[in-house]
Amino acid sequence: MSQTDTVHRILDAAEVLFAERGFTETSLRTITSTAGVNLAAVNYHFGSKKELIQAVFERFLTPFTEILNRELTRRGAASEPLQLDDLLQSLYRVALAGLASQGRDPKRFMRLLGLAYTQSQGHLRRFIVSRYGDSYRRFAGQLAAALPHVDPVTFYWRLYFMLGATVFSLSSFDAIEAILREDFGAESSLEETLARLAPAAVAMLTAPMPGVGSGQVPGASAPRGSTGDNR
Amino acid sequence: MSQTDTVHRILDAAEVLFAERGFTETSLRTITSTAGVNLAAVNYHFGSKKELIQAVFERFLTPFTEILNRELTRRGAASEPLQLDDLLQSLYRVALAGLASQGRDPKRFMRLLGLAYTQSQGHLRRFIVSRYGDSYRRFAGQLAAALPHVDPVTFYWRLYFMLGATVFSLSSFDAIEAILREDFGAESSLEETLARLAPAAVAMLTAPMPGVGSGQVPGASAPRGSTGDNR
DNA sequence: CAACAATTAAAACGCTCGTTTTACCCGGAG
DNA sequence: CTCCGGGTAAAACGAGCGTTTTAATTGTTG
């Protein structure tokens, strides 16, 4: 009861339905009837559908970036020997487990993130960039600092490759998992998949440089105290 | 004029608009007015909006898979020493250049492919799988054969990582390129990006295995007569 | 030229959408 | 008790959607 209840019910229903069908394909009527509240409640509490979409993302992204920032700070202070593989995997795990511990499904989060990229909702992109752009840049900067021998342009392209691999595969996790289970009878947990994804991402970030003869300096791509030699 | 003209004008307009805004966000009225044809022409020539969407993809995917199949056959017959990096990059280049030579913008194609994955158009997914599933499986099989030491489940996850990196980054090519140009003043062509993407994908496919101690056998990931030693 | 089928044009239909309006409920302050 | 304001409920609004129907216009063929 009370205000909070209606707001939460709407957010919960919207989160699930958006992740399943996308934004434009999910009507406010479907959301409110799923949530068991009146149609007008969305406009009353959130103002508009756009603002509801943003609220759904805010509920995911705010704790996510907080956890991420905390972890980055912790690692920065410890100044441990850079182990890119371990760094990435623990980031994945900490951030997603943090979400899960607050009752937010990490797979659904990734699915929504994938939608945010591809469903050209201009307002959503602007909202996310303005609100969480700093966290993103901090993460990217820290990663770049761990790869000093990769030139900036190559690094950023690889960062996008990595984001693509992550968002794409995790946002379709259930579908991919179902296929693999049918074909090989092997079940994959999200944790397992992250354990596969992290070394793959590292390998991509530290791959030998493209272009004519200018391969990177041998040994430079594997940071001292190296993670995996991606031979 | 004549039938073909109207059909082509509709396809051209739909292709551009779908790539820009997505499927549900693009109305038939926008398409037909952009194409300069009557609204009813879509239903007359294509039957429905769904079938128009499929027709747009067919015009891309049929030549694309034909070129891909031809290239796979050629390489299979030549039985050259497996050079994964070279294989992938030439596949990328041949397939996309082949499209370009037929007047179909490769970037737009990638953008549409990205949309097909994320905009849950059930009919479209079914259409693509039933029509082009064989080509996809052939490509995946050939790639898997080149990586005998990677267990099947890991291979397929990495294949999805690779597809994610490819589709995601190429479908947002213009946006990413604009950012990098602003930040570093460096222009990136599609060709250049493919030259960056191929080695990154290979590094991901051949990365050391996850899990406890069971890294792959050293040297095994780099096929004999190897491409670049991705040290 | 006449007749016919294919195509285009214009208008309307029925439906769903996001949003707004209006009325109603109900708990706490004066 | 009265009043009042935050919240809910129900209904309606106007716009846009995909599709269909009905007419007009072509172009081709006998």
Side-chain angles (χ1 to χ4, degrees):
Chain A
M1 32 222 93
S2 87
Q3 171 189 353
T4 0
D5 204 47
T6 300
V7 169
H8 278 156
R9 294 168 68 90
I10 293 175
L11 283 173
D12 288 343
E15 178 180 307
V16 171
L17 292 167
F18 284 154
E20 278 177 0
R21 322 181 183 181
F23 306 117
T24 50
E25 294 83 355
T26 305
S27 71
L28 293 186
R29 283 168 175 81
T30 309
I31 293 173
T32 50
S33 72
T34 300
V37 305
N38 188 271
L39 168 60
V42 169
N43 291 281
Y44 180 80
H45 287 289
F46 295 93
S48 67
K49 188 181 183 182
K50 288 184 179 181
E51 289 166 284
L52 170 61
I53 295 175
Q54 294 174 7
V56 168
F57 275 84
E58 184 177 26
R59 199 166 61 145
F60 266 119
L61 280 172
T62 296
F64 178 80
T65 51
E66 274 172 9
I67 295 167
L68 188 73
N69 277 327
R70 204 155 37 222
E71 183 70 8
L72 287 178
T73 302
R74 195 184 67 73
R75 292 203 160 251
S79 74
E80 306 163 5
L82 281 169
Q83 307 218 147
L84 221 44
D85 173 326
D86 179 52
L87 168 71
L88 262 189
Q89 186 172 348
S90 89
L91 276 187
Y92 282 151
R93 233 194 347 241
V94 165
L96 296 186
L99 276 186
S101 77
Q102 302 191 218
R104 312 243 64 76
D105 181 359
K107 287 182 289 188
R108 201 179 297 142
F109 171 55
M110 280 294 153
R111 180 121 198 92
L112 287 170
L113 220 49
L115 289 180
Y117 269 108
T118 50
Q119 308 228 153
S120 58
Q121 298 267 350
H123 70 96
L124 182 55
R125 198 179 305 245
R126 265 174 272 127
F127 171 79
I128 292 178
V129 168
S130 79
R131 195 89 149 216
Y132 306 101
D134 285 344
S135 290
Y136 169 73
R137 275 184 290 274
R138 185 183 177 196
F139 168 69
Q142 206 134 330
L143 209 55
L147 296 161
H149 39 78
V150 180
D151 75 279
V153 174
T154 299
F155 167 77
Y156 272 100
W157 272 113
R158 288 180 176 178
L159 177 62
Y160 287 112
F161 297 160
M162 188 186 102
L163 289 177
T166 303
V167 170
F168 176 92
S169 58
L170 294 189
S171 88
S172 303
F173 180 88
D174 286 337
I176 298 174
E177 206 271 337
I179 293 173
L180 294 186
R181 183 149 29 83
E182 186 171 339
D183 287 2
F184 303 106
E187 304 199 3
S188 306
S189 68
L190 184 59
E191 291 262 317
E192 267 176 33
T193 303
L194 294 179
R196 289 185 208 279
L197 181 54
V202 172
M204 194 149 63
L205 290 172
T206 61
M209 302 288 284
V212 261
S214 69
Q216 61 191 1
V217 185
S221 83
R224 285 152 302 285
S226 167
T227 140
D229 53 318
N230 55 327
R231 173 158 0 145
Chain B
M1 23 222 106
S2 91
Q3 173 188 351
T4 0
D5 204 48
T6 300
V7 170
H8 278 156
R9 294 167 67 91
I10 292 174
L11 283 173
D12 288 343
E15 179 181 305
V16 171
L17 291 167
F18 284 154
E20 278 177 1
R21 324 181 183 182
F23 307 119
T24 50
E25 294 83 354
T26 305
S27 71
L28 294 186
R29 282 168 175 82
T30 308
I31 294 173
T32 51
S33 72
T34 300
V37 304
N38 188 271
L39 168 60
V42 169
N43 292 278
Y44 179 80
H45 287 289
F46 296 93
S48 67
K49 188 182 182 180
K50 288 184 180 183
E51 290 166 283
L52 169 61
I53 295 175
Q54 294 175 7
V56 168
F57 275 84
E58 184 177 26
R59 198 166 61 145
F60 266 118
L61 281 172
T62 296
F64 178 79
T65 51
E66 273 171 10
I67 295 167
L68 188 72
N69 277 327
R70 204 155 38 221
E71 184 69 7
L72 286 178
T73 303
R74 194 183 69 73
R75 293 203 161 252
S79 76
E80 307 162 5
L82 282 168
Q83 308 212 156
L84 219 45
D85 172 327
D86 180 51
L87 166 72
L88 262 188
Q89 188 173 347
S90 89
L91 277 186
Y92 281 150
R93 233 197 343 243
V94 166
L96 297 186
L99 275 185
S101 76
Q102 302 192 217
R104 312 244 63 74
D105 181 0
K107 288 183 288 188
R108 202 180 297 142
F109 170 54
M110 281 293 151
R111 179 121 199 93
L112 288 169
L113 220 49
L115 288 180
Y117 269 108
T118 48
Q119 308 227 153
S120 58
Q121 298 267 349
H123 70 96
L124 181 55
R125 199 178 303 245
R126 265 175 271 125
F127 171 79
I128 292 178
V129 168
S130 79
R131 195 89 148 218
Y132 306 100
D134 285 344
S135 290
Y136 169 73
R137 275 185 291 274
R138 187 183 176 199
F139 168 67
Q142 206 133 330
L143 209 55
L147 295 162
H149 40 77
V150 179
D151 75 280
V153 174
T154 299
F155 168 76
Y156 271 100
W157 273 113
R158 287 178 177 180
L159 177 62
Y160 286 112
F161 297 159
M162 188 186 101
L163 289 177
T166 303
V167 171
F168 176 90
S169 57
L170 294 190
S171 89
S172 303
F173 179 88
D174 287 337
I176 298 174
E177 206 271 338
I179 293 174
L180 294 187
R181 183 151 27 83
E182 186 170 338
D183 287 3
F184 303 108
E187 303 199 4
S188 306
S189 68
L190 184 59
E191 291 261 315
E192 267 176 32
T193 303
L194 294 180
R196 288 184 210 278
L197 181 54
V202 172
M204 193 150 63
L205 290 171
T206 60
M209 303 288 284
V212 260
S214 69
Q216 61 191 2
V217 184
S221 82
R224 285 153 301 285
S226 167
T227 142
D229 54 313
N230 53 329
R231 171 160 5 140

